[in-house]
Amino acid sequence: SQTIHQWPATLVQPVGSPLSLECTVEGTSNPNLYWYRQAAGRGLQLLFYSVGIGQISSEVPQNLSASRPQDRQFILSSKKLLLSDSGFYLCAWSLLRHTEAFFGQGTRLTVV
Amino acid sequence: DQQVKQNSPSLSVQEGRISILNCDYTNSMFDYFLWYKKYPAEGPTFLISISSIKDKNEDGRFTVFLNKSAKHLSLHIVPSQPGDSAVYFCAASGGSGGGADGLTFGKGTHLIIQP
């Protein structure tokens, strides 16, 4: 069966520090991968998606970047964090259009 | 502009009764709709989905209804149980035009089941 791992679960980082969140999927090949963010009191916002290795699409302009160095690995990064980057970050995968996306457990990022 | 709207931030329902969660959308290109359940500090869990070619989909206690002309969908939970207390997100896909079809989410409705 397929599983998705996301770490760390919680992270407190100072303003201006770098960020690296990692997500890996097991049990499937060539998944679509996604990074979402849930800010306080808001819904889930799609940040990036990837249909294959090295292919990244950004949905919103932001202080973050994403990379997909391997088929089942998706990384969310920032060179210098801002206070507004605080939130709950979720990685997800899906196989096909018109199928559900499966989410990781999320990372609570607090920028101080 | 929010393309998926859940206008009720919270809903309180007595155990055993029916819970009805509503969702409206504005993008006529959306053709696949999903409901997710989310507990605090966890990722959303998929509940049920519906394609735009259908108007109803049922799975156990959960039924989703789609009214395309009104651009409205609803999730019915019957009977409601204490474990159903969570935030429910409505999501849609097909509007972006991209092959990956990332989901567009509403802001969620916090369902509280009272004993």
Side-chain angles (χ1 to χ4, degrees):
Chain A
S1 63
Q2 301 90 352
T3 56
I4 180 169
H5 303 280
Q6 186 182 341
W7 66 93
T10 59
L11 191 59
V12 180
Q13 291 284 97
V15 169
S17 64
L19 172 74
S20 181
L21 302 180
E22 190 163 342
C23 171
T24 58
V25 180
E26 296 177 359
T28 186
S29 296
N30 198 30
N32 296 325
L33 296 173
Y34 309 86
W35 279 110
Y36 288 85
R37 176 173 59 200
Q38 183 183 16
R42 309 186 73 174
L44 283 72
Q45 181 185 35
L46 179 64
L47 301 176
F48 299 96
Y49 67 87
S50 171
V51 298
I53 296 174
Q55 301 179 61
I56 308 295
S57 297
S58 174
E59 286 292 299
V60 294
Q62 58 201 297
N63 183 43
L64 302 167
S65 62
S67 61
R68 185 170 178 173
Q70 298 179 44
D71 180 46
R72 289 169 286 179
Q73 184 185 28
F74 206 22
I75 297 172
L76 184 69
S77 305
S78 173
K79 291 182 179 178
K80 288 185 178 182
L81 283 169
L82 305 171
L83 285 174
S84 58
D85 292 324
S86 293
F88 192 55
Y89 289 83
L90 289 153
C91 180
W93 72 272
S94 69
L95 271 185
L96 302 167
R97 187 179 181 180
H98 291 176
T99 61
E100 59 271 24
F102 297 95
F103 286 81
Q105 289 298 294
T107 296
R108 170 69 61 192
L109 171 66
T110 304
V111 182
V112 296
Chain B
D1 181 36
Q2 221 180 343
Q3 299 186 68
V4 177
K5 301 177 184 178
Q6 293 177 258
N7 293 319
S8 298
S10 66
L11 175 67
S12 184
V13 175
Q14 204 163 14
E15 182 179 356
R17 298 287 187 99
I18 183 172
S19 295
I20 301 176
L21 297 107
N22 293 303
C23 177
D24 298 293
Y25 61 96
T26 58
N27 191 334
S28 56
M29 296 296 290
F30 287 145
D31 55 6
Y32 190 63
F33 304 90
L34 310 91
W35 284 94
Y36 282 85
K37 176 181 180 180
K38 185 180 181 301
Y39 294 116
E42 293 185 8
T45 303
F46 169 75
L47 271 178
I48 192 169
S49 62
I50 188 167
S51 166
S52 60
I53 62 173
K54 294 185 176 182
D55 55 18
K56 177 183 175 181
N57 189 24
E58 195 171 352
D59 184 2
R61 296 186 298 115
F62 302 93
T63 304
V64 56
F65 295 92
L66 176 63
N67 182 334
K68 283 184 294 183
S69 61
K71 293 191 177 68
H72 176 83
L73 64 154
S74 61
L75 174 68
H76 293 210
I77 306 173
V78 57
S80 300
Q81 299 174 354
D84 295 330
S85 294
V87 177
Y88 289 78
F89 288 97
C90 172
S93 73
S96 69
D101 274 337
L103 300 174
T104 301
F105 283 84
K107 290 188 177 181
T109 296
H110 185 194
L111 176 64
I112 302 163
I113 305 301
Q114 297 190 337

